[in-house]
Amino acid sequence: MHDAAGPQDACGVFGIWAPGEDIANLTYYGLYALQHRGQEAAGMAVADGRTIVVFKELGLVAQVFDERTLSSLSGHLAVGHTRYSTTGSSTWENAQPSYRTAKLGGGVALAHNGNLTNILELAEGLGDNRDAGMHATTDSDLITALLAEHPGPTLVEAALDVLPRLRGAFSLAFSDAATVYAARDTHGIHPLVLGRLDGRTEGGAEHPSGSWVVASETCALDIVGATFVREVEPGELLVIDEAGPRSLRFAPADRHGCLFEFVYLARPDTTIAGRSVHATRVEVGRTLAREAPVDADLVIPVPQSGVPAAVGYAEASGIPFGEGLVKNSYVGRTFIQPSQKIRQRGIRLKLNPLREVIEGRRLVVVDDSIVRGNTQRALVRMLREAGAAEVHVRISSPPVRWPCFYGIDFATRAELIASGLGVEEIRASLGADSLAYVSLDGLVDASRQPANELCRACFDGVYPVPLMDSDRLGGRHQLEGMGSGAATGAALAEAFSRRVVVGMNGADPSPDALDELAGLAGLDTLGEMDTLGEMAAIDGPAADVAPAGSRSS
């Protein structure tokens, strides 16, 4: 199949309000716990009631921050972020927290997990003010700009006006110099939780309002010693200051939590909507064993993502569980690498088969998902070379057939192996002896969530947030060609060209695609696009775009 940029989760966010605590270190530990959600950049904004200091850089959390840097960041509140780029290139300017000087004084720092689906509409509304920041090209910076440019006298009033205008997925932690805010989109697509710290200072005193933490996952609460209080509700704005947290409603809740969080994105030691992610994955393995039995000698997981489901499969099938693959723990997850070339090298760097365990054995190999098939294809080949007699692949999620527009970067159907091939064709492509996926109903049942409260769009194509053609067209780089917020035909043609220039599966683009691209480039405004729907249907893979530059001073 084609080589294209891979599916990634948008990011991890963390916020804390804790007078008397070592804010920078706690934020560092929280981000460390959320490192799996993004490995391109990390940053934090620390405030002391008067000023906000933002420090961010490309790299892992442990690479970005050292003791000297952390000791220089003092205050009683902070927001932090780990990033994978699903909107905008992987540049320093696009690292978060995003920061803007507010129209009425002070500043706004914001960390965002998710993806908006009305980016062009929001950018047009900002006009020239979109370029007043630090040349970021992300939907996160757009949200920050909308908040900072709002004429309301307080950030609360700005948020209550801006948040209902955002479409798509957003779990936010943001702040001014004195207050931490948290908000979650009306569908609650990605998780966001509230926790409470003990709040006791070295002298033994506790702040009367307590100390509070918001984070993408409960595992980040655990690492800083916070107690889980509750989820931030869909459509809720939390305001956390010296009076403690108070809840405001900016939109009614229409819950559709991301089912893929249970499959892969969240850490297994996280709890989502009251359900343990680890327990869900083990139960999915049991379900998979019942739905797709096979006569084999050993069940082995693809570490680490396939381990819980493999344990469940072995339990339900009675086939022994074994460790047949060794993982290099110092290699990042291939799923969230920004370059396909890096990803292909990473597959061979991260896993090595144990020949003495698998030689001559009939193997059941359990993994969490197949998106492009590159990892599984290389894995099957390695196992056969190591002497496996048979290789039966079992996948603890249904086939991923549809793009995600809410913060997981498999944004075109052409990138997804299951969008054009049936199960038997995929099996042949991987070179496996057999292949089976868990059913969608089986996965939903294991999550113990009501089916109508889940976003399952990547599996069934039913999107809880309606999508405009322009949302589908622009992709992750759609803001990068826009000047002063104006969505010109030339800018959108540039965004569109990133999709069709390499054509379907790496072939040359079709003459029709090139004709429509030329027609788009001649348009002056977004309103002239009569053929936008047809062009959006040309679903070629996104070309890799080189970073636009290095850190600015």
Side-chain angles (χ1 to χ4, degrees):
M1 296 295 291
H2 39 271
D3 293 334
Q8 291 84 15
D9 180 51
C11 303
V13 303
F14 185 86
I16 183 169
W17 194 94
E21 297 283 357
D22 189 343
I23 289 293
N25 272 284
L26 288 173
T27 303
Y28 172 86
Y29 292 133
L31 295 180
Y32 204 91
L34 298 172
Q35 184 73 88
H36 61 288
R37 298 186 74 90
Q39 296 180 341
E40 287 188 22
M44 69 175 74
V46 181
D48 60 5
R50 298 179 303 277
T51 60
I52 302 175
V53 176
V54 179
F55 188 92
K56 60 183 182 179
E57 186 57 275
L58 300 180
L60 303 175
V61 173
Q63 296 169 327
V64 170
F65 298 103
D66 55 26
E67 290 185 12
R68 181 179 178 182
T69 301
L70 293 172
S71 66
S72 70
L73 299 171
S74 61
H76 66 272
L77 63 101
V79 295
H81 192 262
T82 61
R83 181 175 194 254
Y84 174 79
S85 56
T86 55
T87 304
S89 296
S90 180
T91 64
W92 179 84
E93 291 83 357
N94 286 337
Q96 295 185 39
S98 174
Y99 178 84
R100 293 273 185 144
T101 301
K103 189 173 186 178
L104 298 178
V108 180
L110 178 140
H112 172 208
N113 174 29
N115 242 45
L116 302 185
T117 63
N118 61 333
I119 297 174
L120 297 180
E121 172 190 321
L122 296 172
E124 284 185 311
L126 271 174
D128 292 342
N129 292 325
R130 191 182 73 80
D131 294 330
M134 301 182 71
H135 307 291
T137 56
T138 65
D139 53 355
S140 310
D141 185 66
L142 276 179
I143 301 171
T144 313
L146 288 165
L147 293 171
E149 290 295 320
H150 195 275
T154 67
L155 189 52
V156 171
E157 290 184 322
L160 291 176
D161 180 50
V162 169
L163 295 175
R165 292 153 51 191
L166 309 180
R167 289 204 312 272
F170 58 90
S171 291
L172 304 176
F174 58 104
S175 81
D176 53 25
T179 307
V180 171
Y181 306 83
R184 198 171 174 209
D185 64 84
T186 185
H187 298 290
I189 291 176
H190 293 299
L192 190 64
V193 296
L194 172 69
R196 180 166 182 164
L197 282 165
D198 177 38
R200 297 191 182 277
T201 63
E202 290 184 3
E206 184 175 4
H207 193 278
S209 66
S211 299
W212 302 89
V213 177
V214 292
S216 291
E217 297 185 29
T218 60
C219 62
L221 304 182
D222 297 335
I223 199 172
V224 301
T227 302
F228 171 78
V229 175
R230 65 176 179 86
E231 289 191 335
V232 178
E233 290 297 315
E236 181 183 23
L237 170 66
L238 274 182
V239 182
I240 306 173
D241 56 18
E242 65 276 359
R246 64 185 187 273
S247 174
L248 301 170
R249 173 67 59 179
F250 66 85
D254 181 20
R255 187 181 294 271
H256 287 87
C258 173
L259 184 54
F260 208 72
E261 291 277 358
F262 286 99
V263 172
Y264 179 85
L265 300 179
R267 268 177 46 159
D269 53 342
T270 281
T271 298
I272 298 176
R275 175 62 165 160
S276 161
V277 171
H278 174 78
T280 297
R281 292 174 183 172
V282 173
E283 184 59 34
V284 171
R286 298 187 187 109
T287 302
L288 186 56
R290 292 190 293 268
E291 293 181 347
V294 64
D295 189 14
D297 303 313
L298 191 68
V299 176
I300 68 170
V302 176
Q304 296 293 321
S305 57
V307 172
V311 169
Y313 193 102
E315 286 180 1
S317 67
I319 302 171
F321 174 91
E323 297 284 352
L325 294 162
V326 175
K327 180 181 179 181
N328 181 352
S329 299
Y330 299 95
V331 178
R333 289 167 28 156
T334 59
F335 190 39
I336 59 174
Q337 293 289 353
S339 163
Q340 174 64 15
K341 187 173 292 186
I342 293 175
R343 181 182 301 105
Q344 287 178 319
R345 293 170 181 165
I347 291 169
R348 290 195 171 274
L349 283 172
K350 70 184 290 189
L351 294 173
N352 200 39
L354 287 168
R355 179 178 290 272
E356 61 271 25
V357 172
I358 65 177
E359 189 170 18
R361 300 283 191 92
R362 298 170 298 169
L363 305 177
V364 179
V365 182
V366 181
D367 204 355
D368 58 87
S369 60
I370 300 177
V371 179
R372 287 161 190 80
N374 296 324
T375 297
Q376 288 78 12
R377 191 176 298 110
L379 181 59
V380 171
R381 183 167 57 250
M382 283 194 299
L383 292 172
R384 292 203 186 281
E385 290 172 353
E390 297 176 6
V391 180
H392 302 275
V393 177
R394 294 295 179 266
I395 303 299
S396 60
S397 66
V400 177
R401 292 194 171 100
W402 299 90
C404 176
F405 298 94
Y406 307 138
I408 307 172
D409 191 18
F410 38 79
T412 68
R413 292 200 73 190
E415 295 177 80
L416 307 174
I417 191 171
S419 69
L421 299 179
V423 173
E424 177 57 26
E425 292 171 304
I426 298 172
R427 181 209 62 76
S429 173
L430 302 183
D433 290 285
S434 72
L435 168 66
Y437 298 81
V438 75
S439 67
L440 182 55
D441 287 344
L443 175 59
V444 171
D445 289 346
S447 75
R448 296 188 182 173
Q449 306 301 307
N452 62 351
E453 293 186 2
L454 289 168
C455 176
R456 311 177 302 178
C458 58
F459 304 126
D460 63 10
V462 178
Y463 294 94
V465 183
L467 298 166
M468 298 173 61
D469 286 334
S470 58
D471 302 327
R472 298 171 183 266
L473 172 65
R476 61 185 286 184
H477 300 282
Q478 59 186 306
L479 292 176
E480 294 182 357
M482 295 176 63
S484 301
T488 64
L492 287 168
E494 170 62 17
F496 183 61
S497 70
R498 290 188 170 97
R499 300 236 175 216
V500 303
V501 70
V502 294
M504 182 66 74
N505 295 339
D508 291 335
S510 70
D512 288 343
L514 292 175
D515 288 345
E516 293 189 13
L517 180 60
L520 176 59
L523 298 176
D524 292 327
T525 66
L526 185 62
E528 294 184 38
M529 296 185 190
D530 294 329
T531 60
L532 192 57
E534 285 108 19
M535 288 187 295
I538 304 173
D539 212 8
D544 286 335
V545 179
S550 57
R551 174 175 177 160
S552 301
S553 58

